[in-house]
Amino acid sequence: MLLEVDGIEFSYDSTPILKGVTFEVKRREMVAILGPNGAGKSTLLKCINGILKPKGGVVMVEGLPGESYGTRERAKKMGYVPQTNTGNFMTVFDAVLLGRKPYIRWGPGERDLKLVEETLKLVGLESLALKRTNSLSGGELQKVVVARALVQKPRVLLLDEFTNNLDLKNQLEVMKLVSKITHESGVASIVVMHDINLALRYSDKFVVMAKGAIHARGGKEIIEPQLMKEVYGIEVLVGNLGGVPLVVPIEGGVARDETGEDAHAG
Ligand code: ADP
Ligand code: MG
């Protein structure tokens, strides 16, 4: 197993936030973490990559406790894209090159520069290489941080709401890219997402969190109306459109509108 998250407990001050969170991710597997705001998704990602130290439980990476790796080694293993990102005076090229930091001793080598170049091409940023990151659009900046995580050549990719700010085409492209990297190069990816449909389309497994604990986990089949009701408190239809699984909220939507129209007509 590439990544084992076993019984993670965490609290900020004395408020318990994560309560015994347990799941595993295999090589070539993309796991989506879903759940309402405040469920503890971002906190969980930070516990997995070691930014936060869990109060209980253990994170095993390739069979060893995460803590047993030094900071540098752990950074080589895990690429992390935080939920919020801001630009600065650095160029796109340099910002992505930063991802190579755990590998660089005396200054970037040819391989580092080449990897950055290739990755910029991969995410479609090559024409912006010399632009400062504080003059990018939200979507472009989002691609920069994804590229930075990718040049790290990590074994585990942790992406926190990384499709935010991206237009529809870019959302699909970046998700497809992460899915491709996961399935082809044997990485394990964990993606925190709000867009259930985007998650359903590309992820292999699902972990649904509520109030700091795992409410359900499994394959696509677990995403059904009862679960959505329990976790998000909304009514949904779960269907399929042109082979693509689809979750559509109906509360305040289709069902009620029809009634509303009828009422007006009458
Ligand atoms: P999610 O990513 O699922 O929206 P978070 O992990 O960001 O949830 O937050 C989980 C809970 O922890 C929330 O109640 C939030 O208010 C709280 N929280 C998050 N960060 C901090 C912090 N730095 N200090 C105290 N409480 C925090
Ligand atoms: Mg979050």
Side-chain angles (χ1 to χ4, degrees):
M1 198 55 64
L2 188 41
L3 181 77
E4 293 158 76
V5 176
D6 188 5
I8 294 298
E9 307 274 338
F10 184 82
S11 29
Y12 295 105
D13 309 320
S14 59
T15 322
I17 301 290
L18 297 177
K19 301 153 198 161
V21 175
T22 300
F23 66 100
E24 302 175 333
V25 193
K26 292 195 195 99
R27 224 174 287 281
R28 303 181 199 282
E29 206 168 59
M30 183 158 170
V31 173
I33 301 192
L34 307 173
N37 291 323
K41 306 179 296 297
S42 296
T43 305
L44 176 62
L45 284 198
K46 288 177 196 163
C47 285
I48 292 174
N49 83 349
I51 295 178
L52 295 175
K53 194 173 154 33
K55 303 278 186 315
V58 65
V59 175
M60 304 282 279
V61 187
E62 297 189 310
L64 292 173
E67 288 162 27
S68 67
Y69 296 97
T71 317
R72 203 185 244 283
E73 285 309 306
R74 193 156 178 168
K76 285 184 194 170
K77 299 270 180 210
M78 298 203 185
Y80 169 59
V81 173
Q83 186 170 346
T84 44
N85 296 288
T86 49
N88 55 31
F89 282 102
M90 215 176 266
T91 64
V92 166
F93 192 93
D94 288 343
V96 174
L97 183 59
L98 262 190
R100 295 300 297 165
K101 208 172 148 208
Y103 295 89
I104 295 172
R105 290 264 173 204
W106 309 110
E110 202 139 312
R111 176 175 151 77
D112 300 306
L113 301 176
K114 196 156 179 338
L115 264 175
V116 172
E117 233 169 78
E118 283 170 9
T119 309
L120 286 177
K121 214 172 272 171
L122 199 66
V123 299
L125 283 177
E126 68 268 42
S127 64
L128 298 178
L130 299 178
K131 207 163 172 192
R132 291 188 194 285
T133 52
N134 60 5
S135 62
L136 298 175
S137 75
E140 289 161 351
L141 181 62
Q142 208 57 15
K143 285 184 167 184
V144 170
V145 287
V146 171
R148 179 160 62 209
L150 294 179
V151 292
Q152 246 171 285
K153 292 283 165 202
R155 312 309 317 279
V156 180
L157 263 176
L158 305 167
L159 306 167
D160 199 347
E161 299 195 25
F162 71 115
T163 56
N164 289 6
N165 285 321
L166 296 174
D167 63 36
L168 197 55
K169 178 164 177 276
N170 279 313
Q171 279 179 19
L172 290 169
E173 275 180 5
V174 181
M175 270 303 265
K176 213 166 15 180
L177 177 66
V178 172
S179 156
K180 188 169 156 31
I181 287 163
T182 307
H183 297 126
E184 286 177 7
S185 61
V187 170
S189 300
I190 302 183
V191 298
V192 169
M193 313 223 22
H194 278 304
D195 188 331
I196 298 169
N197 290 320
L198 199 55
L200 268 175
R201 194 163 169 155
Y202 291 102
S203 313
D204 306 303
K205 294 223 176 112
F206 302 83
V207 169
V208 182
M209 290 184 68
K211 300 189 181 119
I214 294 183
H215 192 89
R217 64 189 164 112
K220 289 186 170 64
E221 71 283 352
I222 69 161
I223 308 297
E224 38 82 39
Q226 182 59 30
L227 178 71
M228 295 294 109
K229 176 90 184 162
E230 286 164 12
V231 173
Y232 293 97
I234 55 162
E235 303 282 347
V236 303
L237 290 174
V238 177
N240 203 294
L241 195 62
V244 180
L246 205 60
V247 174
V248 184
I250 50 177
E251 212 165 44
V254 190
R256 199 182 290 167
D257 275 351
E258 277 171 5
T259 332
E261 272 183 32
D262 283 344
H264 283 295

